[in-house]
Amino acid sequence: MSKQQSVCKIYYFPSLDGGGFKEVPTVEYQQPEEPCWQERLMDVIGNIVLCIAVGGIVSAAFIQIARWIWGW
């Protein structure tokens, strides 16, 4: 499938008076080579949140096992 065929055509209804559908010109999105600083910052924040969440789940499981073993 060529790139020209993979792009969808988008239509909109201009108004009730004019009637009919009109085609909106579309272009294929090009991913930038290097992510911008906001994307890199969000990746770092996401990794930190993921580590905290995993640590919380592991510590909660450890506490539940300790309570079960020692009967706290």
Side-chain angles (χ1 to χ4, degrees):
M1 180 183 296
S2 70
K3 290 184 178 182
Q4 187 68 15
Q5 293 173 341
S6 65
V7 177
C8 296
K9 291 185 177 181
I10 300 174
Y11 296 92
Y12 74 98
F13 195 68
S15 69
L16 296 175
D17 298 334
F21 289 94
K22 295 192 177 181
E23 184 177 345
V24 177
T26 57
V27 294
E28 188 172 349
Y29 176 73
Q30 298 294 323
Q31 185 74 18
E33 294 292 326
E34 183 70 25
C36 63
W37 67 271
Q38 293 100 335
E39 291 176 343
R40 291 193 305 266
L41 178 64
M42 290 304 294
D43 288 341
V44 170
I45 292 172
N47 288 336
I48 292 170
V49 169
L50 180 64
C51 290
I52 291 172
V54 169
I57 291 170
V58 169
S59 65
F62 177 75
I63 290 170
Q64 290 299 321
I65 291 170
R67 290 180 66 180
W68 176 67
I69 290 175
W70 289 294
W72 292 343

